[in-house]
Amino acid sequence: MTDFDVVTRDHVLSAIAEHDERGVDAFLTVYGFGRTSEFLLHHEDTTYDATAILGVAYKHATGTAASRRRLGNGKHQVAEILQALDFETTYVDTTALAIDPATGEWRDVADVGAEEARDAWAEAARGVLIEVAGRYHALITHKELATQVQNLTGIRTKQMPHYWIGDVLTRVAADCDKRDEPLLAAFCITADGSVSSAYGPAVLTATGTAPDDADDHAAKERLKAHRHFDAADLPEGGGVPALSDKLAATRGRERKIRHQEREIAKCPVCYLQLPATGVCDNCA
């Protein structure tokens, strides 16, 4: 991780001021960050992406921003550095709904409306998925994403994720298409390692074309996104598309079974397997 000893409190305040001037979405886009799903910085009743703020504070100190790649996986160090400069940071548990969300208090979907809630979740999901895209061959499950967007927005629901996460991902996909970006929804998978049944319709809604094989399409979109968002550890040559490990193993087993079950043509005289010509070499 980059040496941040050169960063002072004033540099962080300058990064915060730049964030406020640009607006959150433009700020994160310009510097290639997604919203962190773990550490948040609090300043004057406003919540910021701790990783992005520190990365841009480094620019104010040195002239060059510290990218996601340079920050690496040192998110705990990000929090420690900011705390040492007398800033408040909080950790957001990505596996369960927090006691206190990033916004400070919970609101229920019934209080804000389903459309507003899903728009907010889609905006938060974009940031989370950009973070995932920044790690080569990383993935996130529907359950994990559903938990994170609720924690980040402070809007919660008692509905199971499968009732609404597909619609949220459709909104994310449509937004990516408008931005001429790879479809970030491709990073979200089910427990069996496959994209959900909502992925194909989401692609159709966003692009006008339905994929023949949703998982193969998603693998290619993920690779495009890794390249677009400058993924850490991207191999020389740009990497390769990949299914999730679980789905790849499942498809491998299915291919093996199909091969084993394939009827083998045998010579009616000597019972040896016939070659592709259909003429037994032994009996000819």
Side-chain angles (χ1 to χ4, degrees):
M1 184 171 168
T2 300
D3 182 3
F4 283 91
D5 289 344
V6 295
V7 176
T8 67
R9 181 177 173 84
D10 285 341
H11 294 137
V12 176
L13 291 173
S14 295
I16 290 173
E18 182 179 347
H19 176 286
D20 292 344
E21 182 179 350
R22 288 183 182 274
V24 57
D25 198 53
F27 181 84
L28 296 176
T29 299
V30 165
Y31 293 108
F33 285 94
R35 298 191 189 194
T36 180
S37 57
E38 293 181 333
F39 287 101
L40 302 172
L41 181 151
H42 304 276
H43 180 67
E44 295 184 351
D45 299 323
T46 304
T47 300
Y48 300 88
D49 179 324
T51 304
I53 290 294
L54 183 58
V56 178
Y58 189 79
K59 184 202 80 168
H60 287 280
T62 67
T64 304
S67 66
R68 180 194 299 107
R69 185 188 295 272
R70 293 177 68 185
L71 285 162
N73 295 320
K75 291 182 179 178
H76 286 278
Q77 291 173 270
V78 168
E80 291 172 1
I81 292 166
L82 291 170
Q83 289 166 7
L85 296 173
D86 202 26
F87 287 99
E88 178 188 355
T89 64
T90 57
Y91 171 74
V92 178
D93 189 344
T94 61
T95 61
L97 290 184
I99 296 175
D100 294 313
T103 54
E105 61 181 7
W106 283 110
R107 294 181 295 164
D108 291 323
V109 170
D111 297 326
V112 300
E115 280 299 306
E116 182 179 338
R118 293 189 180 191
D119 281 342
W121 289 335
E123 182 181 353
R126 172 179 168 78
V128 173
L129 292 169
I130 288 175
E131 284 289 329
V132 177
R135 291 176 279 119
Y136 185 54
H137 284 174
L139 296 163
I140 187 170
T141 67
H142 284 190
K143 183 178 180 181
E144 290 168 339
L145 182 62
T147 299
Q148 291 191 38
V149 299
Q150 289 178 86
N151 282 338
L152 287 167
T153 61
I155 303 173
R156 63 187 174 188
T157 178
K158 293 180 180 179
Q159 276 192 319
M160 296 296 289
H162 67 267
Y163 287 112
W164 53 270
I165 198 68
D167 181 57
V168 169
L169 289 170
T170 296
R171 297 175 193 228
V172 173
D175 181 57
C176 287
D177 186 60
K178 289 179 182 177
R179 297 170 185 265
D180 197 25
E181 295 174 345
L183 303 183
L184 289 165
F187 287 96
C188 196
I189 60 172
T190 62
D192 65 4
S194 176
V195 292
S196 76
S197 58
Y199 180 78
V203 174
L204 177 61
T205 299
T207 67
T209 304
D212 293 329
D213 185 305
D215 283 295
D216 285 344
H217 182 279
K220 294 173 183 176
E221 286 297 305
R222 290 193 291 264
L223 180 60
K224 292 177 185 176
H226 287 319
R227 294 170 176 171
H228 183 84
F229 292 104
D230 190 28
D233 303 322
L234 192 66
E236 290 186 14
V240 295
L243 301 174
S244 70
D245 290 342
K246 192 168 187 178
L247 181 60
T250 298
R251 289 193 172 185
R253 288 193 297 270
E254 290 173 348
R255 284 194 298 270
K256 185 176 181 180
I257 291 171
R258 287 196 299 270
H259 179 75
Q260 291 173 340
E261 292 179 345
R262 186 176 60 192
E263 184 176 348
I264 299 175
K266 295 182 179 180
C267 173
V269 177
C270 67
Y271 300 105
L272 292 177
Q273 181 177 343
L274 291 174
T277 61
V279 178
C280 180
D281 294 331
N282 186 57
C283 298

